[in-house]
């Protein structure tokens, strides 16, 4: 099951076990159970502290529990946790074996203090880059708090269960049998959802903070770069983000970040976070900005009002709120979101194995999605509004070689159809003839670009007709002391490397603004 390289890595990791760990397998005569038995044998071979039992009685087969000997089995994997979930398996072994997690002490205490009875089930796919964060968070919570249990379930392996429970997106989390959450969630986000008093406590702490020299709003590549460049100047720097990493967290393959031939979004974000935390930056995660009150004249403070009600004050502000997936805006789309309408083919594609799906959008993202899905689903219909595809030629050639892909151009999607529970098709209009057509299918993957997260800035500063923050060559906005960077601005070409450069430029511009303030203005702000 594991190649020699992975076996060597696993052996090294498991040297950190502080006490024995038991694996309790529930197997049957299936081929997948045989594969799981090989994997478990490889794990046992890697450490004498790992023990394997084959007397598990779990109804899901194949599956296995991870526990300390004699303890309750609170962490279970249903399926083979390979692919993106192999790290989740390794961490579960280490944590069950007493290795301390890399989590802030106050977060650990918050987990231990949760009261009640929590039985979590998470449906994941092995190709989902969003799923490991959720699986790892819930596994850790289960290890730390005896009132919490978690089962991570490979949706592609337990298709009957997925169909019965109408799971149409991953990760999907159930709590005590009821829907709890969908999509990527960090440990802190899960805790905030369970610990209802946490938001108020955080708001009180934030409201008590002093004035920042530079306050960055946004935690993507632009925001991270801005924070690093500002902190390196030795000035008081803060970063408030709804979700550190932003849209990059949902990006699978990154092959154009100069000097890094290939990486994945979550890995890049991890590097960004480590880099930011290496400097004296006050990072305030899970904080959504609700309103900007810009300075009226140079030297005055700007304010960021958060959704929690807390207000942050700063001499300069760098806005880097990023962008989100653009929606089609047609009837049925919102109703069937995560019930057949999806935005991440890498995450949700395996749930549509053997089914018919559509991809909306003929740019690079849409064509790449169609190519990936063609290897999983029965048939892909790609629908493009323009008269021709806009993707790179190499991608179009690959797409044209696939026998189970139909390309429809000059088509406007007009409605998502469903049976009140799931998608059953879509309608589109042929633009040259105005003829209406219906396509029967089970899934729709929307890949039509991004829309800036700037609704909360309306009226505070100048925005373009598309809602982008208008900036000059220095990243300055129409408001004094307020700068902006990244995908939410009028800077052309929405690319990670450009956003990072924009963030660095905005930070340098903010510093230049600060040092050129008149002395009396600087003193007034400081007071």
């Amino acid at each position: 099951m594991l190649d020699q390289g992975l076996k060597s890595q696993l052996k090294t990791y498991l040297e950190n076990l502080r006490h024995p760990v038991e694996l309790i397998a529930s197997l049957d005569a299936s081929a997948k159970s045989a594969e799981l038995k090989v994997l478990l044998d490889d794990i046992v071979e890697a450490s004498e502290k790992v023990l394997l039992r084959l007397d598990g009685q779990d109804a899901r087969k194949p599956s296995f529990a991870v526990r300390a000997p004699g303890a309750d089995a609170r962490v279970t994997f249903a399926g083979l946790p390979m692919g993106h979930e192999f790290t989740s398996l390794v961490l579960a072994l280490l944590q069950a074996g007493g290795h301390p997690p890399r989590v802030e002490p106050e977060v650990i205490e918050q987990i231990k203090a949760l009261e009640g009875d929590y039985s979590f089930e998470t449906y994941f796919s092995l190709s989902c880059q969003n799923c490991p964060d959720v699986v790892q968070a819930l596994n850790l919570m289960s290890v730390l708090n005896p009132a919490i249990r978690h089962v991570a379930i490979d949706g592609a392996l337990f298709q009957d269960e997925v169909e019965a429970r109408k799971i149409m997106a991953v990760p999907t989390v159930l709590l005590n049998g009821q829907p709890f959450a969908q999509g990527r969630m960090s440990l802190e986000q899960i805790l905030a959802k369970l610990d209802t008093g946490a938001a108020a406590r955080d708001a009180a702490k934030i409201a008590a903070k002093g004035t920042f020299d530079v306050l960055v709003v946004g935690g993507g590549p632009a925001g991270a770069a801005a924070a690093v460049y500002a902190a390196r100047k030795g000035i008081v720097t803060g970063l408030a983000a709804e979700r550190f990493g932003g849209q990059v967290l949902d990006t699978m393959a990154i092959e154009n970040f100069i000097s890094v031939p290939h990486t994945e979004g979550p890995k890049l974000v991890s590097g960004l976070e480590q880099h930011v935390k290496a400097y004296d930056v006050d990072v305030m995660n899970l904080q959504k900005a609700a309103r900007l009150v810009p300075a009226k004249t140079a030297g005055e403070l700007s304010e960021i009002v958060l959704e929690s009600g807390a207000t942050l004050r700063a001499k300069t502000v760098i806005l880097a709120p990023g962008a989100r997936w653009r929606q089609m805006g047609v009837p049925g789309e919102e109703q069937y979101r995560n019930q057949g309408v999806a935005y991440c083919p890498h995450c949700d594609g395996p749930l549509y194995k053997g089914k018919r799906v559509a991809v909306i959008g003929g740019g690079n993202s849409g064509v790449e999605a169609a190519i990936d899905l063609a290897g999983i689903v029965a048939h892909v219909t790609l629908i493009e509004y323009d008269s021709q595809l806009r993707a790179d030629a190499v991608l179009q050639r690959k797409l044209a070689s696939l026998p189970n892909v139909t390309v429809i151009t000059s088509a406007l999607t007009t409605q998502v159809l469903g049976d009140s529970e799931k998608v059953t098709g879509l309608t589109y209009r042929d633009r040259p003839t105005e003829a209406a057509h219906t396509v029967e299918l089970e899934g729709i993957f929307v890949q039509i670009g991004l829309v800036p997260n700037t609704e909360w800035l309306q009226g505070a500063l100048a925005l373009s007709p598309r809602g982008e923050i208008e900036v000059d060559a220095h990243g300055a906005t129409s408001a004094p002391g307020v700068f902006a960077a990244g995908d939410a601005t009028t800077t052309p070409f929405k690319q990670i490397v450009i956003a990072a450069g924009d963030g660095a430029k905005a930070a340098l511009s903010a510093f230049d603004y600060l040092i050129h303030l008149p002395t009396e203005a600087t003193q007034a702000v400081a007071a």
Side-chain angles (χ1 to χ4, degrees), residues 414-442:
T414 53
Q415 186 175 0
V416 174
L417 306 176
D419 61 4
S420 79
E421 293 185 346
K422 63 183 184 301
V423 165
T424 60
L426 63 77
T427 60
Y428 72 89
R429 186 176 74 244
D430 182 84
R431 293 175 57 226
T433 67
E434 295 295 318
H437 301 272
T438 299
V439 181
E440 294 183 355
L441 41 75
E442 289 78 32

Side-chain angles (χ1 to χ4, degrees), residues 30-104:
S30 67
K32 284 297 180 181
S33 283
E35 287 184 47
L36 178 58
K37 177 60 165 56
V38 173
L39 172 61
L40 298 179
D41 286 339
D42 285 344
I43 297 171
V44 170
E45 184 182 333
S47 174
E48 60 183 14
K49 290 185 178 179
V50 180
L51 312 172
L52 175 60
R53 290 174 44 182
L54 302 176
D55 57 349
Q57 300 300 313
D58 197 309
R60 294 188 181 96
K61 294 180 176 63
S63 65
F64 66 99
V66 181
R67 72 175 193 182
D72 292 334
R74 302 199 299 269
V75 175
T76 300
F77 290 94
L80 282 75
M82 298 299 292
H84 289 291
E85 293 300 341
F86 185 69
T87 300
S88 302
L89 168 58
V90 173
L91 287 174
L93 292 167
L94 291 175
Q95 291 158 4
H99 185 66
R102 292 183 179 178
V103 178
E104 297 295 331

Side-chain angles (χ1 to χ4, degrees), residues 349-356 376-379 442:
L351 299 178
Y352 295 85
K353 183 178 181 180
K355 297 181 179 180
R356 297 158 300 171
I376 302 171
V377 304
H379 188 269
E442 289 78 32

Side-chain angles (χ1 to χ4, degrees), residues 120-304:
F120 288 100
E121 297 167 289
T122 300
Y123 289 87
F124 68 87
S125 71
L126 297 180
S127 60
C128 171
Q129 74 272 25
N130 294 326
C131 297
D133 280 2
V134 177
V135 171
Q136 291 165 25
L138 292 172
N139 281 348
L140 174 60
M141 291 171 64
S142 300
V143 170
L144 293 175
N145 188 326
I148 302 174
R149 295 171 302 284
H150 179 227
V151 184
I153 306 160
D154 182 356
L157 190 56
F158 292 89
Q159 282 281 343
D160 291 345
E161 191 171 326
V162 164
E163 293 283 349
R165 288 183 131 173
K166 299 179 175 62
I167 307 297
M168 304 194 73
V170 290
T172 289
V173 182
L174 306 181
L175 171 57
N176 298 332
Q178 299 301 313
F180 175 75
Q182 284 184 323
R184 177 188 292 274
M185 292 184 76
S186 66
L187 174 59
E188 290 77 13
Q189 286 174 303
I190 294 171
L191 279 174
K193 201 171 172 67
L194 295 173
D195 184 357
T196 55
R201 294 195 300 271
D202 288 345
K205 290 178 184 177
I206 289 172
K209 293 181 183 292
T211 299
F212 293 99
D213 291 320
V214 174
L215 174 62
V216 181
V217 181
V228 168
Y229 266 74
R232 283 174 61 85
K233 295 296 185 181
I235 55 181
V236 181
T237 304
L239 185 152
E242 181 180 2
R243 181 179 70 150
F244 194 96
Q247 189 74 10
V248 177
L249 280 169
D250 303 324
T251 304
M252 182 62 176
I254 300 170
E255 298 177 340
N256 55 1
F257 194 82
I258 306 306
S259 84
V260 183
H262 177 85
T263 188
E264 295 177 351
K267 184 177 180 180
L268 178 61
V269 168
S270 177
L272 293 175
E273 189 169 16
Q274 290 176 29
H275 201 171
V276 170
K277 289 184 176 179
Y279 291 92
D280 190 13
V281 178
D282 187 346
V283 178
M284 296 160 279
N285 199 15
L286 308 185
Q287 300 300 324
K288 186 175 182 179
R291 186 161 54 96
L292 165 68
V293 183
K296 295 181 180 178
T297 61
E300 291 185 356
L301 294 179
S302 293
E303 295 182 349
I304 295 291

